[in-house]
Amino acid sequence: MKKKGIWKKIQTFMLYSLPLLLFLVTIGFVYQKKGESRDYDKYTAVGETYEVYGKKMHIYTGGKGSSTVVFHAGSGTPNPYVDFSTVYEKIGHETKYAVIDRFGYGYSDLTNRKRDIDNIVDENRKLLQEAGQKPPYILVGHSLSSLEVIRYAQRYPEEVKGIVLLDGGSPKYYSEQKPLTFFSHVLQFFRTTGVFRFVYEINEEFFIGGRNNLKFVPNELKEVDQAFTLLKLGNKNVTDELRQAQKNAVKVLKDNNGLAMPMTVSTADSFGEVKKDWLESQKELTEWSSAGKHIVVKDSQHYIHHYRPDLIAEEILNLAKK
């Protein structure tokens, strides 16, 4: 009898709570859509957009010099133009730079093309060509984008002058990690239902705490970052990148015949709490290059360039001068 009473209470609770939940989700969805409309009207492309495989890709360029530093954002980074502003402003007096928005990022469109590593490399290369950015390139990759940076160097070594990885994982490390697509789907749900938009208003640090609270980013760019976090987080292209990550890593790992260009692997020390397996994999990654270099960046977390932008700029310029 007790079990029947409990089940009846559960049924009653579900009867009244589900319509309320549906109502709240609907309100959140409308709230998010109105916010998206305002954000799209307010924030237009800062660089140039070009048609790449039938969709628009965005690239932000500047600086002067004989080589071009090409920035590749880590997985899920909402706006690469904002993300790398801490660094490109410090190198433009000595070298050119280009910040790529992959499909699903920043001011670029979404695409139906599979996020296979060779598709991504082809898209990035075509975007650089369309924008008139000629090699030699110094490829800078944060986090998961280490795969596309290394893959580019594998396929087009004559175009690459050097590589700088910002807490970028080794292909071997990523090949052993299961895709985290569930987490991306959760992010997408919370974004599209307006939950994140509401949370951002009351707890901004939840979103930017891991990036040093955007300490070195101007206030006007912080607003851009907020808008694109609420526009792009967990979209289908970002999710598919995660879904393909392990396969992409295996492909890059399989074609490892060494890289005939210098590569600097910078590792965040996570304020003294860096994991041993990650640190060892970072050290091993330098062996891919004929001139590999490993540095542990003190007092930093995963988004190293938001904690030690001067140091990262210095490492990039060292390669540019060679």
Side-chain angles (χ1 to χ4, degrees):
M1 293 295 291
K2 288 184 178 180
K3 288 184 178 180
K4 289 184 178 180
I6 292 173
W7 177 241
K8 188 173 182 179
K9 288 180 180 179
I10 292 174
Q11 287 180 313
T12 302
F13 174 78
M14 295 290 285
L15 180 65
Y16 287 101
S17 63
L18 283 179
L20 177 60
L21 180 61
L22 181 60
F23 174 74
L24 292 175
V25 168
T26 302
I27 292 296
F29 182 79
V30 173
Y31 171 58
Q32 173 66 12
K33 283 298 180 182
K34 287 186 176 180
E36 286 182 357
S37 180
R38 290 194 302 269
D39 290 340
Y40 276 122
D41 289 342
K42 187 176 180 181
Y43 298 106
T44 56
V46 294
E48 300 293 333
T49 57
Y50 299 90
E51 185 171 309
V52 176
Y53 296 101
K55 295 289 185 178
K56 295 291 186 180
M57 283 186 77
H58 176 265
I59 187 170
Y60 179 75
T61 61
K64 58 183 180 180
S66 58
S67 56
T68 301
V69 179
V70 185
F71 291 94
H72 303 72
S75 176
T77 300
N79 193 304
Y81 156 71
V82 175
D83 188 55
F84 288 117
S85 64
T86 59
V87 180
Y88 61 68
E89 293 290 353
K90 299 181 183 300
I91 66 173
H93 62 291
E94 292 189 40
T95 184
K96 292 184 291 186
Y97 60 81
V99 182
I100 287 176
D101 287 356
R102 295 192 297 279
F103 286 124
Y105 290 74
Y107 302 95
S108 289
D109 290 343
L110 292 169
T111 183
N112 290 324
R113 280 168 58 87
K114 188 178 179 181
R115 298 295 80 203
D116 173 80
I117 193 68
D118 284 334
N119 280 352
I120 294 174
V121 168
D122 288 342
E123 291 157 5
N124 291 347
R125 186 167 184 255
K126 185 171 177 58
L127 176 62
L128 289 167
Q129 292 172 341
E130 291 292 330
Q133 297 295 317
K134 299 179 180 180
Y137 303 128
I138 296 170
L139 305 181
V140 178
H142 173 236
S143 192
L144 186 62
S145 71
S146 61
L147 294 179
E148 67 199 72
V149 165
I150 293 173
R151 186 59 174 168
Y152 195 114
Q154 286 179 331
R155 294 179 60 191
Y156 307 104
E158 69 284 356
E159 297 181 9
V160 181
K161 183 176 181 178
I163 295 172
V164 176
L165 299 183
L166 310 178
D167 221 36
S170 72
K172 183 177 185 300
Y173 181 88
Y174 287 135
S175 72
E176 298 169 350
Q177 306 301 311
K178 293 183 178 180
L180 298 175
T181 52
F182 174 75
F183 180 66
S184 188
H185 285 304
V186 170
L187 293 180
Q188 184 180 33
F189 174 78
F190 284 144
R191 175 178 59 82
T192 56
T193 56
V195 174
F196 277 158
R197 189 170 291 273
F198 174 74
V199 172
Y200 211 119
E201 295 297 328
I202 61 176
N203 187 11
E204 181 184 52
E205 189 174 348
F206 176 81
F207 294 90
I208 66 176
R211 290 179 285 159
N212 199 20
N213 290 311
L214 302 182
K215 178 180 177 180
F216 299 108
V217 175
N219 287 333
E220 60 271 21
L221 292 190
K222 288 182 181 179
E223 293 179 6
V224 176
D225 184 84
Q226 176 180 344
F228 279 82
T229 296
L230 301 175
L231 287 170
K232 299 285 186 173
L233 206 61
N235 67 61
K236 69 175 186 178
N237 289 162
V238 173
T239 301
D240 196 39
E241 277 186 8
L242 293 174
R243 183 180 296 110
Q244 303 297 328
Q246 190 174 37
K247 291 181 180 179
N248 287 339
V250 169
K251 180 179 288 190
V252 177
L253 188 62
K254 183 179 179 181
D255 285 353
N256 179 23
N257 295 311
L259 300 173
M261 69 283 297
M263 178 170 68
T264 298
V265 179
S266 58
T267 306
D269 78 331
S270 298
F271 293 98
E273 297 182 2
V274 60
K275 293 182 178 179
K276 185 178 180 180
D277 61 338
W278 176 259
L279 184 59
E280 289 302 314
S281 71
Q282 293 276 280
K283 292 177 181 177
E284 293 173 359
L285 183 54
T286 61
E287 299 173 5
W288 282 54
S289 167
S290 58
K293 175 183 177 182
H294 179 238
I295 59 173
V296 176
V297 183
K298 299 293 184 181
D299 301 323
S300 68
Q301 289 186 332
H302 186 50
Y303 280 79
I304 296 177
H305 45 297
H306 284 283
Y307 291 85
R308 299 293 305 277
D310 289 333
L311 186 151
I312 298 304
E314 181 181 349
E315 291 296 329
I316 292 171
L317 290 177
N318 285 339
L319 286 183
K321 293 172 183 176
K322 291 182 179 180

